[in-house]
Amino acid sequence: MGLCEALPQDAKEARSRSKQIDQMLVKHGKEFKSEIKLLLLGPGESGKSTVFKQMKIIQKNGGFKDDERASFKYIIFGNCITQMKVIVSAANKLGLEYDNEENKERAARITRLNASGDSWSQQVGEDIRELWKDKGIQQAYEQRDKLYQLNDSASYFFSEVNRFIDPNYLPNDQDVLRARVRTTGIDEALFEFDELMFRMLDVGGQRSERRKWIHCFDSVKGVLFCASLSEYDQTLREDDSQNRMHESLMLFDDICNSPWFHNTSFILFLNKTDLFREKIQKIPLSVCFPEYKAGKDFESASAYIRSQFISKNQSPHQIYAHLTCAVNTENIEFVFKCVRETLLKEVFDQMM
């Protein structure tokens, strides 16, 4: 069962494996003129769409053009507004005091705004910047995941809001990667790596979207299943009685053991390692898994979660697990290289 996070344990072995793959490509290249179809699955907010955007960056001659970056501006503005509205609402419900009357007025203006990027202005940006410094807002922010739901990217955007106020602002890669839009329907794109074309399909992960998944199952060479490590203490947005980690495990069980994927390569992305490293120091994993007793150690905790997913597999295929941070381009570039080698090796093995 593969598990890698940043660098290969044995560089020599990795180079040898890569050379083997290159030799097989030379020998069987004609059989790979058509694309390799990959399905990107997982529950909502597991990071699937961020991985999908990373493919655009790390592919051959990849990256976002200026017009593509510009198309994310109002999404980012909307993320800033909606997430500050959520925190202001929480602060008011908790009866928290603002630092001064001016910030109280700023909060009132944010509350009155439409939850859309079209509401953005310089004053809105300044209001968000000043509110983010407010002690009452910070106290409300600390209650996220316990009392209310907030996007993972909220603090990043609030901290970067000075850039967004600039009339000439153009989103950079990190802004684009962290921009949050709920996936509805199916996003599909072709990506080129090592002279091979990969057709990747990203499907919405919320429960209401999953009925559409079956339409994508035909001719799939590999499934990339994303699960968030950091959501072990959170509940679903669409069902606050259901723990997100438990939902992810149930969904993984269903997909992993589906007859559709009986002999399909299966790759597990245990995502959001950055958030998990922070959270495990504050909130014990036992809130989700009462039997877990290994404390705050990141390696032990992530290995335990991995074992929970791997244990669900009842199919003949092997599960290749990787620790990922979807907003870290270097990490995803390395991990996807491992994924490509795994997929090609599995396909070649079937041909022999």
Side-chain angles (χ1 to χ4, degrees):
M1 313 284 177
L3 181 65
C4 62
E5 182 179 13
L7 293 171
Q9 298 253 337
D10 187 335
K12 188 176 180 181
E13 183 182 337
R15 286 195 297 270
S16 173
R17 186 172 68 247
S18 182
K19 188 176 178 182
Q20 261 188 326
I21 296 292
D22 290 341
Q23 289 171 345
M24 286 190 285
L25 277 172
V26 170
K27 186 175 180 181
H28 299 284
K30 290 181 180 178
E31 297 174 52
F32 285 91
K33 291 298 180 186
S34 60
E35 66 228 20
I36 295 173
K37 184 177 176 181
L38 302 178
L39 202 53
L40 191 55
L41 298 179
E45 299 184 70
S46 58
K48 299 189 315 302
S49 296
T50 309
V51 171
F52 191 79
K53 285 185 277 190
Q54 285 282 22
M55 295 300 106
K56 171 80 173 172
I57 295 172
I58 67 174
Q59 69 169 332
K60 183 178 180 181
N61 300 319
F64 291 97
K65 297 175 182 175
D66 283 355
D67 59 335
E68 292 174 307
R69 295 178 188 280
S71 71
F72 282 92
K73 276 177 64 173
Y74 283 87
I75 294 170
I76 291 164
F77 295 159
N79 285 176
C80 289
I81 292 169
T82 57
Q83 297 310 290
M84 185 53 76
K85 282 172 72 73
V86 169
I87 300 178
V88 166
S89 174
N92 292 341
K93 287 177 182 175
L94 291 167
L96 298 172
E97 295 290 330
Y98 294 96
D99 287 347
N100 51 56
E101 280 300 313
E102 191 176 359
N103 277 358
K104 191 173 181 180
E105 291 170 10
R106 292 181 188 279
R109 286 198 292 268
I110 292 293
T111 300
R112 291 193 296 269
L113 286 175
N114 288 326
S116 162
D118 293 331
S119 301
W120 186 262
S121 67
Q122 182 173 337
Q123 181 176 45
V124 170
E126 290 172 353
D127 284 347
I128 290 172
R129 180 188 65 202
E130 296 307 312
L131 283 170
W132 184 234
K133 300 174 186 175
D134 189 279
K135 290 189 181 74
I137 289 295
Q138 286 295 319
Q139 288 175 334
Y141 177 72
E142 290 301 318
Q143 297 303 311
R144 71 195 185 284
D145 300 343
K146 302 171 193 171
L147 302 179
Y148 64 95
Q149 308 262 6
L150 196 70
N151 289 353
D152 292 332
S153 58
S155 64
Y156 170 83
F157 284 140
F158 297 153
S159 299
E160 297 291 320
V161 76
N162 266 339
R163 287 195 295 113
F164 309 158
I165 295 171
D166 185 338
N168 298 315
Y169 164 65
L170 188 68
N172 60 30
D173 282 352
Q174 274 299 302
D175 300 341
V176 170
L177 289 171
R178 294 174 188 267
R180 166 75 181 150
V181 184
R182 175 178 166 175
T183 304
T184 56
I186 301 165
D187 283 340
E188 183 175 343
L190 275 172
F191 302 112
E192 185 177 354
F193 294 90
D194 304 325
E195 310 304 322
L196 294 173
M197 300 303 295
F198 292 82
R199 180 173 295 278
M200 185 174 283
L201 285 78
D202 173 24
V203 245
Q206 279 77 15
R207 286 176 173 178
S208 60
E209 295 294 318
R210 294 175 196 167
R211 64 182 182 275
K212 303 172 186 174
W213 289 9
I214 196 167
H215 302 298
C216 311
F217 287 178
D218 191 40
S219 303
V220 169
K221 290 289 191 294
V223 174
L224 276 64
F225 188 96
C226 280
S228 170
L229 287 169
S230 65
E231 293 179 343
Y232 60 91
D233 66 326
Q234 295 173 248
T235 58
L236 299 179
R237 286 186 191 262
E238 60 265 45
D239 179 4
D240 62 10
S241 69
Q242 174 66 326
N243 176 278
R244 290 192 187 194
M245 182 67 74
H246 292 163
E247 176 83 0
S248 190
L249 282 163
M250 286 193 294
L251 184 58
F252 182 79
D253 190 346
D254 287 345
I255 297 297
C256 179
N257 296 308
S258 166
W260 283 94
F261 306 125
H262 196 65
N263 294 306
T264 303
S265 297
F266 220 94
I267 295 102
L268 171 64
F269 280 8
L270 295 171
N271 195 32
K272 304 190 181 180
T273 53
D274 54 337
L275 301 177
F276 185 64
R277 283 184 189 277
E278 294 179 15
K279 184 176 282 189
I280 198 66
Q281 300 305 312
K282 303 173 186 175
I283 301 170
L285 189 57
S286 56
V287 300
C288 180
F289 302 108
E291 67 281 7
Y292 179 77
K293 307 295 182 187
K296 301 177 179 180
D297 181 67
F298 170 84
E299 283 74 19
S300 298
S302 56
Y304 184 82
I305 293 173
R306 171 183 175 268
S307 71
Q308 295 299 301
F309 279 91
I310 298 298
S311 69
K312 300 294 182 186
N313 183 30
Q314 304 300 318
S315 295
H317 56 218
Q318 185 174 345
I319 307 297
Y320 298 92
H322 301 273
L323 298 178
T324 59
C325 175
V327 294
N328 183 324
T329 301
E330 185 178 352
N331 171 253
I332 295 300
E333 188 168 21
F334 169 72
V335 168
F336 194 66
K337 184 177 181 182
C338 293
V339 168
R340 296 199 304 275
E341 291 175 355
T342 296
L343 288 169
L344 289 172
K345 184 177 184 305
E346 295 255 321
V347 172
F348 285 135
D349 286 347
Q350 291 171 19
M351 290 164 46
M352 300 305 179

